[in-house]
Amino acid sequence: MRVTKSARFAAGSALLALALAACGSTEPAGGGSAAADLPVRMELGEPQKLFYPGDTTESEGAEVLASLFSALVSYNEEKQVVEESAESIETTDNKVWTIKLKPGYTWHNGEKVIAQNYVDAWNYAANQDNVQGANGFFSRIDGWADLNPGEGKTVSTKEMKGLKVVDESTFTVTLTQPFSQFKTMLGYTAFYPLPKAAFGADGKVTEEYAKKPIGQGAFKIDKPYNKGTDQTIDLTRYDEFTGSKPKFTKLQFKLYTSQETAFNDLAADNLDIHDSLPPSAISRAKTEFGERYMDEPDAGVGYIGFPLQYNKTYSDVRVREAVSMAIDRKTIADTVFSGTRAPADDFINPLLEGYRAGACAACAYDPAKAKAQYAEAGGPKTLELGYNSDGPHKEWIEAVANNLRANLGIEVAVKPFEKFATVLDELDKKTYGGLFRMGWAIDYPSAENYLTPIFSTVAIKTGSNYAGWSNKEFDELLVKGDTAATMEESLKFYQQADDVLIKELPYIPVYFYRTNAAFSQKVKGVKVNLLNQIEWDQVEKTG
């Protein structure tokens, strides 16, 4: 899964009469060379963790890993699956899958990529002892339960019996039950392979590797990344890469805690690509960047979440419904975001099949009903609403807070966190009890991806279920959807699971994203794909 740091872009808020000061910098955030081989430079927030593919479950780390690795599959403009590093992925029953690798792929250390590299990586990520955030994505594979006996219990094997190497370029995957969308999943970060060099003598992926991962993708990392101190992540094109190669040789991710600073760097030619434009910059970006300003559909969803597992303040669903009905989504979308968002009325984004307009009745703005219901349910007199300030969220979060103050008659404290990684860490540790901003950028194009990784019971410990919400009916409907014979039948069950979410509201859908970005005159061909990642083979330097 990929929880997303930023709301991609927004306009100034007349609703709140807010003014967000832009604290610019004329110097590159991480230095940089004025030489002819100046890298293509992209804005990024600090990744939550080091680069363990099985433990990277947010958008910033995933962006870096996508440049270092080549996924088994990718997705075309029609959201269809396309083989990438896989030669073929075949099944006759949706339960046993045979994956054959394309020839010619090598690791950045020169070793040949083999089927065993995938089996080793997947077994490692699926083992509860390794505490990998994407563990749950392997739960459909036969033998996952053996690697996850539960807290306090001993893992008695190192391998899932559902993974078998056939030959150097082929392996099979046997699932516990048929799952028609297994192939669709394989473009996700968790399913990257790992080289032998990733593992230490104890069988664990080493910190040394996670700081300087050896991939089999278009770029290789230049030096170890020291989280918390380094301001850039520097990459060089891997010329032995057999896939579609980038047309430039150097790539640099520049790490920012302020999107306004990043935008000022972009305007000053100290940055080339910014895909998280802040509210204060939109009008200027439209005017100054012209054709280099991007406004495109996006499959993401923006939420307000409740930490239900460890804070009983919000346990009454009537309280959660009242909070939802008190939010004026249309005004936020039209005014705060200048029409560059759509009010969310479902947990499934309109870009994906399965979306139903108006499905979420409690997402409709009804302040009178909200106030009466909140009082009837004995809702708390004070709420706290947390958000990450390294993404462009201040305006819309303040708008939501003002809605709640005015429409529920309560006090609302807004709490900014400097980094998105901090929010995730505190939610993981169960140390933050307030409402929280969350976003979701899809891992693969399926309605199921809006459900299982964020709201299933298994995702509480092995996914992105930060609410800690668990519902047996919901889980059972997911299984029915997973095991249905056809995609059409699957979708019916996923929509029924969606209905359970709408009834229970562990999160509140607030808006559907759009991708908004701008790029400098030094590059062209900038394209953001369905997974909200830059297609580096399309980017060219102009000088």
Side-chain angles (χ1 to χ4, degrees):
M1 77 260 141
R2 288 186 308 121
V3 290
T4 181
K5 175 200 72 176
S6 86
R8 285 301 186 268
F9 95 99
S13 172
L15 175 68
L16 297 171
L18 292 174
L20 195 60
C23 308
S25 169
T26 57
E27 297 297 325
S33 171
D37 198 27
L38 189 72
V40 171
R41 302 156 298 178
M42 179 182 171
E43 167 274 334
L44 200 71
E46 182 181 84
Q48 182 190 12
K49 301 176 181 179
L50 294 176
F51 301 120
Y52 300 90
D55 202 26
T56 297
T57 58
E58 43 74 42
S59 56
E60 311 308 281
E63 183 83 57
V64 177
L65 286 173
S67 65
L68 298 173
F69 287 82
S70 177
L72 286 167
V73 303
S74 59
Y75 313 99
N76 62 21
E77 296 286 349
E78 287 71 43
K79 308 177 189 68
Q80 297 169 328
V81 179
V82 178
E83 282 79 3
E84 194 70 30
S85 60
E87 181 72 38
S88 62
I89 302 173
E90 298 177 341
T91 185
T92 58
D93 59 3
N94 290 333
K95 184 176 180 180
V96 180
W97 298 76
T98 299
I99 301 175
K100 188 171 182 61
L101 306 178
K102 284 181 180 176
Y105 277 80
T106 58
W107 293 103
H108 296 158
N109 63 4
E111 294 180 1
K112 182 180 180 180
V113 177
I114 57 176
Q116 189 67 49
N117 298 144
Y118 286 86
V119 170
D120 290 344
W122 296 10
N123 278 324
Y124 183 82
N127 190 323
Q128 71 175 29
D129 289 347
N130 298 325
V131 197
Q132 299 291 283
N135 173 302
F137 278 86
F138 301 93
S139 62
R140 296 180 177 90
I141 299 176
D142 189 18
W144 177 86
D146 297 329
L147 293 179
N148 293 271
E151 190 173 349
K153 296 182 180 180
T154 302
V155 178
S156 58
T157 181
K158 298 294 184 182
E159 300 175 349
M160 291 182 282
K161 54 192 172 188
L163 294 181
K164 301 292 183 184
V165 172
V166 177
D167 56 41
E168 200 172 58
S169 62
T170 311
F171 66 104
T172 60
V173 185
T174 301
L175 309 181
T176 55
Q177 301 179 93
F179 180 43
S180 62
Q181 294 165 85
F182 178 70
K183 181 177 178 178
T184 305
M185 293 178 68
L186 297 179
Y188 179 47
T189 309
F191 296 100
Y192 292 158
L194 286 172
K196 293 179 181 178
F199 299 94
D202 60 356
K204 303 283 189 179
V205 174
T206 66
E207 182 175 303
E208 179 185 11
Y209 175 83
K211 287 184 173 183
K212 190 182 180 184
I214 297 168
Q216 34 70 287
F219 288 95
K220 56 184 178 181
I221 194 165
D222 290 349
K223 59 183 180 181
Y225 166 61
N226 296 297
K227 178 176 163 58
T229 58
D230 286 355
Q231 297 302 303
T232 66
I233 300 169
D234 299 290
L235 313 177
T236 298
R237 186 176 65 199
Y238 181 54
D239 287 333
E240 285 71 39
F241 179 60
T242 58
S244 184
K245 290 187 178 68
K247 302 176 181 66
F248 58 96
T249 58
K250 293 284 186 179
L251 173 62
Q252 182 182 80
F253 293 104
K254 300 179 67 174
L255 307 185
Y256 292 86
T257 57
S258 165
Q259 299 304 308
E260 288 74 25
T261 301
F263 180 74
N264 287 343
D265 273 357
L266 179 71
D269 274 344
N270 292 326
L271 186 68
D272 297 309
I273 301 171
H274 190 343
D275 70 344
S276 307
L277 297 182
S280 58
I282 287 301
S283 295
R284 180 181 169 190
K286 289 179 179 178
T287 301
E288 292 187 15
F289 287 82
E291 293 183 352
R292 292 181 286 111
Y293 167 75
M294 301 168 64
D295 175 12
E296 299 175 352
D298 185 308
V301 184
Y303 311 100
I304 297 294
F306 302 91
L308 299 176
Q309 186 180 35
Y310 57 93
N311 190 338
K312 303 307 180 184
T313 302
Y314 325 106
S315 59
D316 191 329
V317 69
R318 294 176 298 168
V319 169
R320 304 195 295 273
E321 286 180 340
V323 171
S324 180
M325 291 186 291
I327 299 173
D328 187 355
R329 291 166 175 78
K330 188 175 188 306
T331 299
I332 290 172
D334 291 347
T335 306
V336 179
F337 289 117
S338 292
T340 59
R341 292 288 185 278
D345 53 1
D346 195 0
F347 279 86
I348 299 171
N349 184 289
L351 278 185
L352 274 290
E353 191 176 0
Y355 163 76
R356 296 163 296 166
C360 177
C363 293
Y365 185 48
D366 193 338
K369 184 177 179 180
K371 188 169 187 177
Q373 182 168 310
Y374 195 81
E376 179 185 337
K381 300 298 182 183
T382 302
L383 291 176
E384 184 170 89
L385 178 54
Y387 74 98
N388 55 296
S389 58
D390 62 344
H393 302 299
K394 181 178 180 180
E395 286 87 347
W396 81 267
I397 289 295
E398 290 284 4
V400 168
N402 276 359
N403 283 160
L404 300 183
R405 293 178 188 122
N407 296 329
L408 299 180
I410 62 174
E411 296 181 10
V412 180
V414 173
K415 179 179 176 62
F417 291 82
E418 183 182 24
K419 299 175 182 179
F420 187 44
T422 305
V423 180
L424 299 180
D425 288 342
E426 291 209 15
L427 290 171
D428 277 335
K429 292 183 292 187
K430 302 179 176 59
T431 55
Y432 181 67
L435 280 67
F436 53 89
R437 183 220 70 93
M438 190 57 65
W440 184 254
I442 63 169
D443 308 309
Y444 47 89
S446 168
E448 179 271 337
N449 190 235
Y450 294 100
L451 308 174
T452 307
I454 324 174
F455 301 112
S456 67
T457 300
V458 71
I460 294 175
K461 290 187 176 180
T462 62
S464 288
N465 189 343
Y466 292 104
W469 176 77
S470 177
N471 183 283
K472 182 180 179 182
E473 181 186 6
F474 178 80
D475 290 340
E476 288 174 347
L477 286 167
L478 291 179
V479 172
K480 290 179 179 179
D482 289 354
T483 57
T486 66
M487 296 288 283
E488 292 74 19
E489 188 179 351
S490 291
L491 196 58
K492 292 178 182 178
F493 289 113
Y494 293 144
Q495 287 176 327
Q496 291 176 33
D498 183 32
D499 287 336
V500 176
L501 281 181
I502 290 167
K503 180 181 177 182
E504 293 292 324
L505 290 182
Y507 280 8
I508 293 171
V510 179
Y511 58 78
F512 297 127
Y513 282 85
R514 289 187 69 83
T515 292
N516 303 98
F519 53 94
S520 76
Q521 299 182 62
K522 296 179 180 179
V523 295
K524 63 180 181 179
V526 176
K527 179 183 176 183
V528 182
N529 65 24
L530 187 67
L531 305 186
N532 296 112
Q533 296 167 349
I534 302 296
E535 296 279 6
W536 294 115
D537 61 336
Q538 301 296 310
V539 176
E540 297 182 55
K541 295 176 70 173
T542 58

